[in-house]
Amino acid sequence: MITKRNFNPLKVAQYVWRDVALAGGAATAVALVHQAGYLLALSFSPVAVLGTALAIFLAFRANTAFVRWQEGAQLWANIVNASRVFSRLIITFTDSHQHTAVYNQEVATRFKQEMLYRHLAWVNALRLQLRRQEIGTELTPFLPQPSDHDLVRTATNLPNLLLQKQGQEIYQAMATGVLQGFDSFQLEGQLAALSAAQANCERLKNIPIPRQYDYFTRLFVRLFVVVLPLFLVNTAVVDGSVWLILPLTLLIAFLFTTIERIAAVNEDPFENRLTDVPLTAICRDIERDLRAMLGEEKLPDPLLPQEGYLW
């Protein structure tokens, strides 16, 4: 996620230079042909209408992309909230049975730690899956049992199987008396909320904005910047030099292309890019919260923006 207010021009150029260069080439060609006397100046009115229509189309495209990015951020805010509630219920439900005959302090403590650490494994597994990154050994510190490590090696959807394991452990705890009464019902509700958040994240990742919007937006922008010099010739000549169409074309092309590229980047919030929802930082915040709830004092440092970017 970009946190700084000012942008590096070189990084911006990486996204738009091809279309701007195309526009510059078209403007140069039009100027040369016009100077040779083979090109008539055209009225600016038609391209003004086309530009207005394209601006409306781009505004719709940019708004749709922002809604997707904002939904991705909201889903992870929901995951943060559900993680805190789930962990709080695990701890308070377990501790509330201290007065019962079947309560075992060692077993209860181990249960709380394993459940919260396995949840941290789920959070980070979801992050890695959404970004299509290799898991490697990153989850090892959070996996308390050998069977959890087996899931990492064999699972096709690791976050889903980790949620399933959490459910199994809850009912195992009910059988041993670590959890009692109606504890499982409320914990299942939180697992359902986490599963729903995961499904919605997967929807954003796997179901893109309709491709016709992406394709035709890019096509219309490129056609517009290519034909634009034909309609700027008359204005440039009146203002004193046909070569004025070059800076005018580059400026307008940069404007339209930048808006189109912003929309294209924002529509996919889980691509491990600078413009992403900061999943790594969110996962670290969840880790700090849950480990603090367990009473741990040595917590990992929060992730802060580096050079204006938060991952």
Side-chain angles (χ1 to χ4, degrees), residues 93-311:
F93 285 164
T94 303
D95 291 345
S96 69
H97 303 304
Q98 294 181 14
H99 63 283
T100 63
V102 295
Y103 181 82
N104 183 300
Q105 179 69 45
E106 182 180 351
V107 173
T109 300
R110 184 171 63 250
F111 171 74
K112 290 186 292 185
Q113 185 180 54
E114 289 183 354
M115 290 296 289
L116 268 63
Y117 268 66
R118 190 180 295 107
H119 181 74
L120 292 176
W122 174 81
V123 169
N124 285 280
L126 180 59
R127 165 178 61 85
L128 294 171
Q129 178 172 283
L130 291 174
R131 289 179 167 177
R132 304 199 192 284
Q133 295 176 309
E134 292 292 332
I135 292 176
T137 60
E138 187 168 348
L139 302 185
T140 301
F142 304 126
L143 298 173
Q145 299 178 359
S147 58
D148 297 327
H149 294 269
D150 293 336
L151 290 178
V152 175
R153 290 191 295 268
T154 61
T156 56
N157 188 330
L158 181 58
N160 184 56
L161 290 183
L162 286 173
L163 286 181
Q164 180 181 341
K165 185 67 181 293
Q166 293 285 69
Q168 292 169 342
E169 291 296 322
I170 287 171
Y171 283 97
Q172 180 63 29
M174 293 289 293
T176 59
V178 175
L179 297 175
Q180 300 177 33
F182 297 98
D183 295 350
S184 61
F185 293 161
Q186 294 194 54
L187 290 171
E188 277 291 346
Q190 293 306 309
L191 289 180
L194 293 168
S195 182
Q198 176 183 335
N200 282 311
C201 286
E202 291 169 341
R203 170 180 55 81
L204 275 182
K205 177 69 177 183
N206 299 322
I207 303 178
I209 192 172
R211 291 296 87 187
Q212 55 268 35
Y213 287 114
D214 177 70
Y215 173 77
F216 283 109
T217 301
R218 285 186 287 113
L219 178 63
F220 292 160
V221 168
R222 288 173 181 171
L223 287 176
F224 179 77
V225 299
V226 168
V227 302
L228 179 62
L230 295 172
F231 299 91
L232 290 177
V233 170
N234 191 45
T235 300
V237 171
V238 170
D239 289 339
S241 173
V242 69
W243 287 102
L244 285 175
I245 65 170
L246 184 57
L248 289 173
T249 300
L250 291 176
L251 178 61
I252 296 172
F254 177 79
L255 173 64
F256 279 82
T257 301
T258 299
I259 296 173
E260 188 275 326
R261 286 291 88 200
I262 289 173
V265 170
N266 284 347
E267 73 178 39
D268 297 315
F270 306 135
E271 293 298 312
N272 196 31
R273 294 185 295 218
L274 296 176
T275 54
D276 263 13
V277 174
L279 303 188
T280 305
I282 293 173
C283 288
R284 177 62 62 84
D285 289 342
I286 294 174
E287 180 182 352
R288 286 172 52 83
D289 288 342
L290 269 58
R291 292 176 65 174
M293 293 171 76
L294 286 171
E296 297 183 16
E297 296 181 356
K298 189 176 181 180
L299 304 177
D301 295 329
L303 294 181
L304 301 176
Q306 299 293 326
E307 298 181 355
Y309 303 106
L310 183 63
W311 292 92

